């Protein structure tokens, strides 16, 4: 954890001073993305120090062959891996014939990085002396355009300070890249064509095996005073790369700039044989706007995003910076325009973890996108899973399930499983529940039921079939039991009757039955089509009813709580507070078996069920369970503090809620886990939003009504946020004195504040 | 399974006919070993078809870097891997200038392999026509000397049949070898010196990292009629290999022979800088004996082994061949002369599985060596674990145990853990129990208690400390429980209160306490030394007593049986007999999670406890447990049928006992698991011996007395075996009519036959 590394600022992430040790961490923190592509904050010019290069294209992946110590039946043979894409940002720079490389410069001053979140750009500036004694000022600014999401723009400005200097810019694109995270050192890209046209260059490549076709392109020109040079002095084309050369004699104290546009056209969006053509079109568009014109569009696009999704906090600048960083990253990762994309755990900031989609999307991210964008965006996230239903059925078949039972993968890119630890891949099956829950959550929030007959019901049937086949009747208990699962608490594996999993399975069965009835009555044509397609029988639904009615739910009479799993009370129930601080985090100090047999909980498990199904339980019950489980919770998952923050707020424990909030909101900025160099924790960022809006703000939907229970940490003067509720925009402002609700034009809306009805008018 | 591949024969393993598809399988089945080194049945001459080369030196291994998909705290960074050693058997042969290679020969006739188990040699013979149309008869005979265990001998005889022929033998040794089973394609051997002296050659190499120094050597000469040529015509020395050339014009119908001695001297047995000198000494010895003299010694040595360890079966040639093959392989693998060696799961027949020593040694093999050799050999097996005690304590420390608690590794070579699956490495901890049990078993059988004060008590203290720290008090049950273990049935992982593990842990604590008392009373000086060394306190032993007295043992009142683990009765209890045959073996058809939540048992688990502690339970209790668990047992471990065979015999279910016996005794000969090409299943071979001697013969020691309960399968006319009981040799002959017991010279011995005392006199 390093709390002084990033300067506090309400709208920007700022690093001051050059520290070689932090280059890789900053490359993560200052990453930029536009939903379609992403770029780590690598230097444009050569850098011979430690760096982790990363350019990513949304939805472009590689099926890496699985590598394990000991093979288990059912592991995926191959799984999708986030792929480093060809480099479009590179600009070699020569200063009087000597390459510019910060690792070889001396006297580095005024080094500063700024990620301007309000306007969506990243700038790096410094003054340094090259090995041949030229002192320079460098300012480089870049952004990935939201309005033209295939393109990024760079302005690289150099001012020699101590003498007239010959400056040569060599902008290039390069497909000769590799992945750090690779099992077999496979070659991932095959390059087929390298071409150029005046100051534009194009590399056509395709990924091996998946055959995603991509054209990486660039255009460059220099500006020196009023001299705009749009034709390179020379060109250097190689097998996997192509570069231009622009030379300029620059007078001491004067500035020369290289402007570079670059990016990718992909066959997901264009005809495969017209990628270079498409690149030319987008370059025509952006070059007619120019760097400044494109940047203006960028500022407008981000202003529009912030207009809706900003959370303003007064009186606590670090909390303010944290929540904005989280909201910014979520918007950089997923914009909601393409139902083939999703929210990867590292977004576009690193390549760790194969695949992109976890249950995080449904359990943590959906609410954010639903409330800060609109229901169409949320619907795209649901549709993503519908599109993967066939693959989920195949996945379940591989594990021995039949008759259309669906098991969604633990991690996926294209619907196929990307994970290979038996205790997770095969056993952390509660993920299926979150996917059904998201359908419920969406319809509850939006009152848009059309997704269910169109797509959702088929998903619910596949999931219900899975649960019915996954349980077995225990003669011993005269109940249906579910053996060998891993709950949300991954610090227990292969447990029996995990309450959360059993509960959500029972709920899924009931919800599927309820939606079947609903569709039968309200959408008879869809019903007929779906029954024919799925061959669902009354015998099956009869069995669903039976399983749901007789599902075993472990409960302790003594403690008055549901038990996390059958064996929980046999554990040595020493509270986290009584553990030696030196032994924490336990995942760095304890062997795996010790963790497994301990009572320590990685993230909300039983309490996750209380979060999803809060209306099923009283506040007293919540309190009892919170007081029983939280003391054993080590919060070693980035997804843990947010759920607990929401519940602590509900229980009026604001100090505790605030502590949890802090822990989640600045996880990456303060590098709590000392791993930010590998990339950011994107999905947990939605949890920070949740902590404020659902936790402090107490926002929820109950019986069709929007409800609030406004609270505020004592550290804050005021905070405000907006939500989109059924296409109405509601602004909520909460101060130490009370809460204020503004609504946009339209009909009056009745909401509940602290359970009292209030009618809002525009 | 291929039941016709190997010819039935009482004393030999015979293959007839050349089948390229079976070369690798035969290389395993016809492997030879002498306890110190081993050799797969690779051809001496070049062979361009599929082959799996394997030469092994006992105790010479390489620490391979662990490779896993997802790292867990506690995994070993490196682990010992069985290492392919330099090739000493190679003899290139040229026939009129054309290399002899069976893959390129035509008209191959009379191809035969014979492994003569009675005399300990392997012979291969064939007639074939080379590509240049020379028809040859080839007979090649080889053995690894028991009397000179650093050396092997080969006689390679060629008779040209259709014309006079120039035959060139090129015997060589070669250190340029690799491992098939390697994680990172490391270079394992470094060669430092290649020398020769007349017809002898030497390569000095050492293993990387472990730095085992080895001299690989050979000596060669040819015999043609009465012409003995002991000086090669030429020599060819390269960086990693060295070879000689012997040319001989051979008349049609006449025979030329190359005799080659080769092998290894190792720095475990010699000074590191005198390995070539030591090789010269052993070559002097064997060349003075000559091939035939050495072979005579070999026959005598094997006769001596068989004299004691043979089991003769009349009326069932396949059963006879099976048991002799098993006994032969056990003696090839471990001769009991070196306490630094042990019994690897594949012996010297393949390189699969890192490490060499499993709990198999204590649970299955000890009895065999103890009864067919002598107590010194058994004591060496115990001493092996004493030598590893420090490492076992370190191993436990890595997993968070303290104060001298010892956890022996799941698999080891040098005392360090060689396994890396959390559910096995960290959780299959019952292995510690078998190591304590072996001490008990040894003293019970031999009445030699000296091992306990000298070494065993320290081992028992380390193990007792482990168990005491590994359990925890359950407030819920008011008992000590043991969470998160894998029992002998590896088809359940991370279970709670595995009865076998809890029971043996309780027993270990009680046995350690009992032996502490015994040593205190009978060996006070040793007691003082051990207490000082281990810093054992009365508080600790008090805790041991408490844990043993209050250990939780899961029991079902309803079924009247101990429960394999807490959750067993929640399973869907469908018997194996009711499973679809097509789904078996389940480990090839079911995903791992499905196996784990099924009731199917891989090998004896609760019944393993009934085997170890048979005197603790009545025959009725055994029957009840056998009838409860065996129907759920799939016997997919090679170690399963033997225990069940012993117990079925005890329950007078001879047909079932015989079926189990067959399943274990010809596992490799009939290649039940279709994997014999990777090597043989050595440790389970001791189980075959157990099935006959302890099962059919009913041999056991109770209250200090040797007992028998002789039975015979109806398929057999007669069987007989010998055992060494406290240095008395007892021969047991059992026919359909009854049993006969002969004893060697000495005092009369009282034994119990079917619980009736009988006094045997010489």
């Amino acid at each position: 954890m390093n709390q002084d590394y990033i300067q506090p600022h309400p709208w920007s992430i700022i690093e001051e001073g050059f520290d070689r040790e932090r280059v890789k961490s900053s490359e993560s923190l200052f990453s930029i993305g536009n939903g379609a592509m992403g770029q780590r904050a690598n230097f444009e010019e050569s850098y011979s120090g430690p760096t982790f290069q990363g350019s990513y294209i949304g939805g472009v992946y590689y099926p890496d062959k699985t590598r394990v110590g000991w093979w288990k039946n059912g592991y995926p043979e191959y799984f999708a891996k986030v792929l480093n894409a060809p480099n479009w940002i590179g600009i070699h720079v020569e200063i009087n014939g000597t390459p510019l490389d910060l690792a070889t410069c001396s006297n580095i001053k005024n080094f500063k990085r700024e990620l301007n979140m309000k306007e969506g750009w990243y700038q790096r500036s410094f003054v340094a002396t090259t090995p041949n004694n030229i002192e320079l000022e460098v300012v480089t600014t870049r952004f990935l355009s939201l309005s033209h999401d295939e393109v990024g723009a760079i302005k690289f400005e150099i001012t020699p300070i101590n003498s007239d200097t010959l400056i040569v810019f060599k902008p290039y694109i390069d497909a000769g890249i590799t992945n750090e995270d690779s099992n077999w050192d496979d070659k991932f890209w095959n390059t087929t064509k390298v071409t150029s046209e005046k100051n534009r260059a194009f590399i056509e490549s395709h990924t091996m095996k998946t055959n995603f076709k991509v054209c990486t392109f660039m255009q460059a020109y220099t500006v020196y005073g009023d001299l705009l040079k749009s034709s390179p002095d020379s060109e250097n084309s190689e097998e996997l790369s192509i570069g231009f050369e622009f030379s300029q004699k620059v007078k001491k104290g004067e500035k020369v700039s290289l402007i570079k546009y670059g990016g990718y056209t992909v066959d997901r969006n264009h005809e495969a044989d017209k990628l270079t053509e498409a690149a030319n079109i987008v370059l025509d568009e952006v070059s007619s706007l120019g760097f400044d014109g494109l940047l203006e569009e960028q500022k407008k696009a981000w202003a529009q995003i912030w207009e809706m999704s900003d959370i303003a906090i007064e009186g606590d600048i670090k909390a303010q910076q944290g929540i904005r960083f989280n909201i910014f990253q979520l918007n950089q990762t997923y914009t909601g325009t393409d139902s083939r994309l999703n929210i990867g755990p590292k977004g576009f900031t690193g390549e760790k973890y194969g695949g992109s989609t976890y249950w995080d999307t449904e359990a943590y991210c959906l609410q954010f996108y639903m409330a800060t964008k609109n229901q169409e965006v949320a619907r795209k996230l649901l549709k993503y899973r519908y599109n993967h239903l066939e693959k989920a059925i195949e996945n379940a078949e591989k594990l021995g399930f039949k008759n259309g039972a669906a098991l969604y993968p633990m991690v996926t890119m294209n619907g196929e499983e990307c994970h290979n630890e038996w205790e997770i891949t095969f056993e952390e099956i509660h993920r299926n529940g979150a996917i059904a829950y998201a359908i419920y959550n969406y319809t509850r929030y939006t009152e848009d039921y059309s997704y269910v007959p169109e797509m959702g019901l088929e998903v619910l049937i596949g999931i219900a079939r899975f649960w019915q086949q996954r349980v077995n009747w225990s003669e011993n208990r005269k109940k249906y039991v579910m053996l060998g699962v891993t709950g949300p608490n991954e610090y227990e594996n292969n447990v029996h009757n995990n309450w959360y999993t059993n509960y959500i399975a029972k709920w899924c069965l009931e919800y599927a039955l309820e939606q079947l009835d609903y569709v039968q009555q309200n959408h008879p044509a869809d019903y007929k089509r779906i029954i024919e397609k799925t061959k669902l029988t009354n015998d099956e639904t009869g069995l669903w009813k039976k399983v749901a009615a007789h599902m075993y739910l472990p409960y302790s009479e003594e403690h008055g709580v549901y038990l996390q799993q059958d064996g929980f009370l046999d554990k040595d129930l020493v509270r986290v507070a009584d553990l030696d601080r030196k032994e924490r985090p336990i995942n760095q100090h304890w062997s795996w078996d010790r963790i497994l047999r301990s009572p320590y909980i990685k993230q909300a498990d039983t309490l996750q069920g209380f979060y999803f199904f809060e209306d099923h339980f009283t506040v007293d019950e919540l309190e009892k369970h919170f007081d029983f489980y939280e003391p054993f919770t080590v919060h070693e998952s980035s997804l843990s503090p947010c759920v607990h923050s929401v519940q602590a707020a509900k229980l009026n424990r604001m100090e505790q809620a605030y502590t949890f909030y802090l822990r989640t909101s600045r996880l990456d900025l303060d590098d709590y886990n000392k791993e930010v160099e590998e990339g950011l924790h994107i999905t947990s960022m939605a949890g920070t939003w949740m902590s404020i809006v659902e936790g402090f703000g107490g926002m929820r939907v109950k019986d069709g009504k929007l409800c609030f229970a406004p609270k505020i940490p004592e550290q804050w003067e005021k905070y405000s946020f907006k939500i989109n509720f059924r296409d109405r925009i509601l602004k909520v402002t909460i101060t130490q004195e009370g809460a204020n609700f503004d609504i946009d034009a339209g009909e009056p809306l009745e909401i509940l504040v602290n359970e009292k009805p209030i009618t809002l008018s525009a």
Side-chain angles (χ1 to χ4, degrees), chain A:
Chain A
M1 189 162 80
N2 189 327
Q3 301 198 333
D4 302 322
Y5 168 21
I6 297 298
Q7 307 294 313
H9 187 286
W11 276 112
S12 282
I13 306 302
I14 295 167
E15 177 191 10
E16 286 179 346
F18 182 59
D19 182 345
R20 280 149 220 264
E21 300 299 315
R22 282 183 184 152
V23 167
K24 285 163 82 172
S25 297
S26 292
E27 284 172 349
S28 297
L29 284 171
F30 292 85
S31 289
I32 52 177
N34 64 3
M37 59 194 278
Q39 176 61 49
R40 284 172 59 84
N42 308 124
F43 299 163
E44 291 87 356
E45 77 276 14
S46 307
Y47 181 63
S48 56
T51 168
F52 170 22
Q53 297 290 309
S55 307
Y56 309 103
I57 305 173
V60 172
Y61 58 89
Y62 179 82
D64 213 15
K65 196 164 176 226
T66 305
R67 180 152 221 165
V68 295
W70 300 82
W71 191 265
K72 307 275 193 203
N73 284 340
Y75 279 158
E77 291 268 350
Y78 293 89
F79 58 91
K81 188 148 263 184
V82 170
L83 198 55
N84 195 8
N87 178 344
W88 68 268
I89 65 162
I91 305 168
H92 297 306
V93 179
E94 279 177 22
I95 308 298
N96 280 349
T98 295
L100 174 63
D101 173 354
L102 264 179
T104 66
C105 285
S106 56
N107 206 15
I108 300 171
K109 291 184 296 197
N110 304 341
F111 182 90
K112 180 180 175 188
R113 295 189 197 242
E114 178 179 358
L115 181 63
N116 187 308
M117 302 185 287
K118 190 171 184 182
E119 302 181 343
W121 49 261
Y122 161 61
Q123 188 173 73
R124 177 172 55 107
S125 52
F126 59 88
V127 171
T129 304
T130 58
N132 54 350
N133 293 315
I134 307 298
E135 189 176 19
L136 301 167
E137 185 184 358
V138 172
V139 180
T140 161
T141 309
R142 75 181 183 227
F143 58 94
L144 293 183
S145 173
L146 281 174
S147 59
H148 295 77
D149 71 3
E150 291 169 321
V151 77
I154 301 171
K155 184 194 275 181
F156 201 114
E157 300 168 297
I158 306 181
T159 310
I161 295 173
N162 59 347
S163 72
D164 296 356
T165 306
L166 176 69
I167 294 180
V168 181
F169 288 107
K170 296 179 174 174
Y172 63 93
I173 50 179
D174 179 11
I177 40 84
T178 57
N179 254 45
E180 292 217 344
D181 182 25
S182 157
N183 282 346
W184 303 88
D185 299 328
D186 282 8
K187 183 188 170 196
F188 293 136
W189 289 96
N190 189 33
T191 293
T192 51
K193 205 165 87 179
V194 177
T195 56
S196 69
E197 198 178 313
K198 204 183 154 211
N199 65 343
R200 294 180 179 180
F202 309 91
I203 299 180
E204 292 198 6
S205 318
H206 59 260
T207 55
M208 308 301 285
K209 295 187 193 168
T210 35
N211 203 26
F212 290 113
K213 295 196 177 65
V214 170
C215 173
T216 307
F217 59 82
M218 70 162 172
Q219 171 176 330
Y221 61 94
T222 56
V223 178
Y224 180 54
D226 52 9
L227 176 72
L228 188 151
K229 192 190 274 186
S230 62
S231 295
D233 301 316
S234 68
E235 178 189 312
N236 178 26
S237 167
E238 294 185 11
E239 200 186 331
L240 301 175
S241 67
I242 180 166
F244 297 136
E245 205 171 303
F246 292 89
S247 295
Q248 184 63 52
K249 284 195 176 154
V250 182
K251 288 220 162 67
K252 172 176 159 181
E254 293 188 354
K255 180 172 74 178
V256 63
S257 308
L258 180 102
I259 313 295
K260 182 180 182 185
Y261 307 120
Y264 313 101
T265 48
V266 185
D267 67 345
R268 199 176 58 239
N269 302 318
H270 302 282
E271 283 177 52
D273 59 352
K274 292 187 178 148
L275 294 178
T276 298
E277 201 173 318
N280 262 313
I281 292 169
V282 70
L283 284 173
D284 288 346
E285 287 171 16
V286 301
S287 56
S288 78
L289 284 165
F291 184 86
D292 293 338
L294 198 61
L295 183 55
E296 274 312 303
E297 280 193 354
Q298 181 78 347
K299 291 176 183 174
K300 277 183 204 150
W302 273 103
Q304 214 173 346
I305 291 173
W306 286 116
E307 169 62 26
M308 188 57 218
S309 65
D310 186 31
I311 296 184
I313 299 174
E314 290 180 21
D316 189 342
I317 194 167
K318 285 196 164 188
Q320 173 68 84
Q321 188 179 36
I323 184 63
R324 285 205 174 119
F325 184 64
N326 288 194
I327 294 168
F328 180 71
Q329 291 297 344
L330 286 162
N331 278 289
Q332 289 209 119
T333 304
Y334 184 73
T335 58
T337 53
D338 190 336
S339 67
R340 294 164 299 188
L341 302 181
N342 209 286
I343 307 135
K346 299 227 160 282
F348 294 118
T349 69
E351 60 194 49
K352 208 180 169 189
Y353 307 124
S356 80
T357 311
Y358 286 64
W359 69 293
D360 305 17
T361 294
E362 283 77 13
Y364 297 91
C365 300
L366 180 71
Q367 300 92 302
F368 168 78
Y369 289 104
M370 196 154 61
T372 64
K373 298 204 182 289
N374 56 54
Q375 70 182 50
E376 273 312 304
V377 170
R379 208 176 199 274
K380 283 198 178 79
L381 289 172
L382 300 188
K383 191 178 172 205
Y384 177 92
R385 295 295 193 175
Y386 176 72
N387 291 339
H388 289 177
L389 178 59
E390 279 310 305
K391 290 254 168 68
I393 291 171
E394 281 169 30
N395 186 40
E397 278 169 0
K398 281 180 197 155
L399 302 185
F401 296 88
K402 288 171 282 196
N403 187 34
L407 175 61
Y408 280 90
M410 189 65 205
V411 189
T412 193
M413 185 74 85
N414 63 344
E416 286 169 23
E417 181 59 83
C418 291
H419 201 95
N420 55 322
E421 281 179 301
W422 65 264
E423 64 275 18
I424 305 292
T425 316
F426 305 154
E427 298 205 340
E428 200 175 335
I429 52 178
H430 66 78
R431 60 196 188 237
N432 247 8
I435 288 161
Y437 181 80
I439 299 174
Y440 164 73
N441 201 11
Y442 170 79
T443 52
R444 177 176 64 169
Y445 191 85
T446 63
E447 281 193 334
D448 165 27
Y449 286 100
S450 69
Y451 177 73
V452 175
E454 281 176 38
M455 296 182 250
L457 187 58
E458 290 176 52
V459 171
L460 295 174
I461 290 170
I463 288 172
R465 282 173 158 164
F466 174 81
W467 290 124
Q468 177 256 304
Q469 292 175 36
R470 184 56 167 75
V471 298
N472 68 273
W473 178 255
S474 164
E475 260 311 299
N476 187 40
R477 299 193 194 260
K478 310 289 183 212
K479 286 276 184 184
Y480 285 99
V481 295
M482 187 139 36
L483 306 181
V485 306
T486 294
N489 170 29
E490 291 174 330
Y491 286 178
E492 293 187 316
N493 292 158
N494 196 47
V495 299
H496 308 312
N497 296 311
N498 169 255
W499 177 83
Y500 172 78
T501 308
N502 287 19
Y503 194 84
I504 207 165
K506 172 185 160 73
W507 175 85
C508 284
L509 291 163
E510 289 164 346
Y511 182 61
L513 288 162
E514 181 192 309
Q515 295 304 305
L516 266 171
D517 278 352
Y518 168 82
V519 174
Q520 185 172 24
Q521 285 168 33
N522 298 287
H523 304 271
D526 288 309
Y527 184 78
K528 188 161 173 282
R529 172 181 55 77
I530 292 165
I531 296 298
E532 275 169 15
K533 183 173 175 189
T534 59
K535 301 190 179 64
L536 187 70
T537 66
N538 286 337
D539 284 359
E540 260 188 282
T541 52
L543 214 43
W544 297 1
K545 274 175 210 149
K546 208 169 132 194
V547 171
H550 299 283
M551 181 74 84
Y552 176 66
L553 296 170
Y555 185 78
S556 163
E557 293 292 343
E558 185 193 344
H559 298 278
V561 294
Y562 289 108
L563 286 174
Q564 188 165 288
Q565 45 99 359
D566 277 353
F568 193 78
L569 287 184
D570 273 342
K571 297 190 164 197
D572 190 13
L573 296 170
V574 175
R575 294 173 167 224
V576 176
D578 299 327
L579 266 185
D580 189 343
R581 278 298 307 176
K582 289 200 297 284
E583 312 235 312
R584 294 180 59 196
I586 59 171
N587 67 17
Q588 286 174 25
H589 293 90
W590 285 13
S591 73
W592 190 242
D593 59 313
R594 191 169 207 90
I595 290 174
L596 290 181
R597 64 181 184 272
S598 81
Y600 303 118
I601 303 171
K602 188 181 174 195
Q603 72 182 84
D605 191 296
T606 305
L607 292 179
Q608 181 73 34
F610 275 70
Y611 169 67
F612 274 176
F613 302 108
E614 62 169 328
D615 298 341
H616 299 195
F617 307 100
T618 66
V619 174
D620 281 354
E621 284 174 314
L622 172 63
E623 185 162 36
K624 208 160 200 173
H625 285 79
F626 191 89
D627 286 343
F628 187 78
Y629 286 110
E630 199 286 324
F632 298 115
T633 307
V634 287
H635 304 290
E636 291 178 12
S637 159
S638 63
L639 296 169
S640 188
C642 53
V643 171
H644 290 88
S645 182
V646 171
Q647 291 174 335
K650 186 168 184 183
L651 297 173
N652 267 316
R653 301 179 184 182
M654 286 303 289
E655 197 51 39
Q656 200 178 7
Y658 179 70
T659 306
F660 284 130
Y661 166 79
L662 276 193
R663 192 158 169 168
T664 181
S665 72
R666 294 185 62 90
L667 176 73
D668 287 321
L669 283 181
D670 295 338
D671 199 8
Y672 275 77
N673 295 353
K674 294 191 190 303
E675 55 174 22
V676 78
E677 63 178 46
E678 293 173 353
L680 307 176
H681 296 83
I682 298 297
T683 45
S684 70
M685 292 180 173
T688 311
W689 179 89
M690 204 164 102
S691 302
I692 295 182
V693 176
E694 300 184 354
F696 303 157
M699 184 199 84
R700 48 192 47 94
V701 175
K702 197 175 167 183
D703 303 327
K705 290 229 164 59
L706 190 61
C707 311
F708 292 90
K711 299 187 180 74
I712 182 167
E714 58 171 31
Q715 292 82 352
W716 297 358
E717 291 164 18
K718 175 177 161 184
Y719 68 101
S720 60
F721 58 85
K722 282 188 186 168
I723 61 164
N724 178 332
F725 181 66
R726 300 176 189 167
D727 285 331
R728 307 294 300 277
I729 308 298
L730 189 75
K731 183 173 182 186
V732 182
T733 308
I734 299 168
T735 66
Q736 293 292 347
E737 284 66 47
N740 187 51
F741 300 88
D742 290 313
I743 196 161
D744 58 353
E747 295 293 305
L749 176 73
E750 188 180 274
I751 64 171
L752 295 177
V753 178
N754 292 324
E755 297 182 14
K756 283 180 207 131
I758 292 181
T759 302
L760 304 180
S761 308

